[in-house]
Amino acid sequence: VLYKESVGTGTPTPVTPEMERVKRNQEICSSVLYKENIGKATPTPVTPEMERVKRNQEIISSVLYKENVGKVTPTPITPEMERVKRNQEIISSVLYKENVGQATPSPVTPEMERVKRNQEHISSVVYKEGLGKATPTPVTPEMERVKRNQEHISSVLYKEQLAKGTPTPLTPEMERAKRNQENISSVLYSDSFRKQVQGKAAYVLDTPEMRRVRETQRHISTVKYHEDFEKSKGSFTPVVTDPITERVKKNMQDFSDISYRGIQRRVVEMEQKRVDQDQENLTG
């Protein structure tokens, strides 16, 4: 306070480039001297409590920084700004991967898998809640062509990046699924065969050699048929006689006798005569 009271009014001088250069040099010199005056120190381990305090300080600093921010004028995001932003992200990703050192892999436990799936579901829900209204665009043939090309390129790149895999044993469930797939493929193949091939004749040249083979096959079939017939001639196959067979046999014989002797016809005639007599008795 006394120092400021003793200071009189001064004449302001403009800040020239030379003064800026001297000021920067003074700052660099002060930084160098400060580091030279630092002696040897004892490193202390970073404890969880220190980590917690550090995070709290960062959060408090972030809150205070946002409170001190005044009103700003929003600027529209142009395509050029979008391009620069994407380039910066790509550069940051490359530099980040270059600075990554050696790490210790940790096994993925079922609990970690469950938490990961939950986080994906939460992220998907939050993302969909933040979506606004969109204008649908029609899918043109050019867009379809580009989409197919991208799929082909992705498939090729995916196959190039494949590493060695670990074989898995075939379980009964996998065998059942494989058989079902084969049956489905067989059904589809049969449908395609019926639509494309079935009903259409295949033309084959009738050469003398084919006629000779066909005649030889016919002779062999005839000889084989006569040979089998001679072996089975005079033999019979015994059948067990049970009550049901006896009943069927008796019914068949009765039907044969009725048809042969004309008994059924006489029964019908006698029934007709009886009906006529009853009619005469009623009228008489």
Side-chain angles (χ1 to χ4, degrees):
V1 175
L2 296 176
Y3 170 76
K4 291 182 180 180
E5 289 178 353
S6 300
V7 175
T9 58
T11 302
T13 57
V15 180
T16 61
E18 181 65 21
M19 294 174 66
E20 288 286 341
R21 184 181 66 79
V22 172
K23 184 178 180 181
R24 283 198 300 271
N25 291 337
Q26 288 294 329
E27 291 176 354
I28 293 170
C29 293
S30 298
S31 176
V32 172
L33 294 175
Y34 172 76
K35 292 181 180 178
E36 288 179 353
N37 294 329
I38 294 176
K40 294 182 180 180
T42 304
T44 58
V46 180
T47 61
E49 182 65 19
M50 295 173 66
E51 289 286 340
R52 185 182 64 80
V53 173
K54 183 178 179 181
R55 282 197 300 271
N56 291 339
Q57 289 294 329
E58 291 175 355
I59 295 170
I60 294 170
S61 300
S62 176
V63 172
L64 295 176
Y65 172 76
K66 291 180 180 179
E67 288 179 353
N68 294 328
V69 174
K71 294 182 179 179
V72 296
T73 304
T75 57
I77 298 176
T78 61
E80 181 65 18
M81 294 173 66
E82 288 286 342
R83 184 182 65 80
V84 173
K85 184 178 178 181
R86 284 197 298 273
N87 291 339
Q88 289 295 328
E89 291 175 354
I90 294 169
I91 293 170
S92 299
S93 176
V94 172
L95 294 177
Y96 172 75
K97 292 181 180 179
E98 289 179 354
N99 294 328
V100 173
Q102 295 181 353
T104 304
S106 59
V108 179
T109 61
E111 181 66 17
M112 294 173 66
E113 289 286 341
R114 184 183 64 79
V115 173
K116 184 178 179 182
R117 284 196 300 272
N118 291 340
Q119 288 295 328
E120 291 176 355
H121 295 327
I122 294 170
S123 299
S124 176
V125 172
V126 173
Y127 171 75
K128 292 180 179 178
E129 289 178 352
L131 288 179
K133 294 182 179 179
T135 303
T137 57
V139 180
T140 61
E142 181 66 16
M143 293 173 67
E144 288 287 342
R145 184 182 66 80
V146 172
K147 184 178 179 182
R148 285 196 298 273
N149 290 340
Q150 288 294 329
E151 290 176 355
H152 295 327
I153 293 170
S154 300
S155 177
V156 172
L157 295 176
Y158 172 74
K159 292 180 181 179
E160 288 179 355
Q161 295 173 359
L162 286 180
K164 294 182 179 180
T166 304
T168 57
L170 290 177
T171 60
E173 181 66 18
M174 294 172 66
E175 289 287 342
R176 184 183 64 79
K178 184 178 179 182
R179 285 197 300 273
N180 291 340
Q181 288 294 329
E182 291 176 354
N183 294 335
I184 294 170
S185 300
S186 177
V187 171
L188 296 176
Y189 173 77
S190 300
D191 291 340
S192 176
F193 173 77
R194 282 194 294 270
K195 292 178 181 178
Q196 298 179 6
V197 180
Q198 193 174 13
K200 297 181 181 180
Y203 298 96
V204 182
L205 295 177
D206 190 10
T207 60
E209 181 65 20
M210 293 184 68
R211 285 198 294 272
R212 184 184 65 79
V213 172
R214 187 167 60 249
E215 190 69 19
T216 304
Q217 288 293 332
R218 188 165 57 82
H219 291 326
I220 293 172
S221 299
T222 304
V223 172
K224 183 66 176 174
Y225 171 76
H226 284 291
E227 183 179 352
D228 294 339
F229 175 76
E230 292 295 332
K231 287 182 180 179
S232 61
K233 187 170 63 175
S235 61
F236 62 92
T237 302
V239 179
V240 178
T241 304
D242 54 352
I244 296 176
T245 306
E246 289 290 338
R247 182 175 61 79
V248 173
K249 182 177 179 182
K250 186 173 182 302
N251 291 339
M252 294 301 294
Q253 187 174 359
D254 293 339
F255 291 147
S256 299
D257 291 342
I258 291 172
S259 299
Y260 176 73
R261 298 177 184 177
I263 298 175
Q264 184 68 23
R265 182 172 53 83
R266 287 200 297 271
V267 169
V268 172
E269 291 177 355
M270 292 174 65
E271 183 66 23
Q272 187 64 33
K273 288 180 181 180
R274 186 181 65 77
V275 173
D276 292 341
Q277 288 177 359
D278 291 341
Q279 291 291 336
E280 290 176 357
N281 295 330
L282 291 174
T283 55

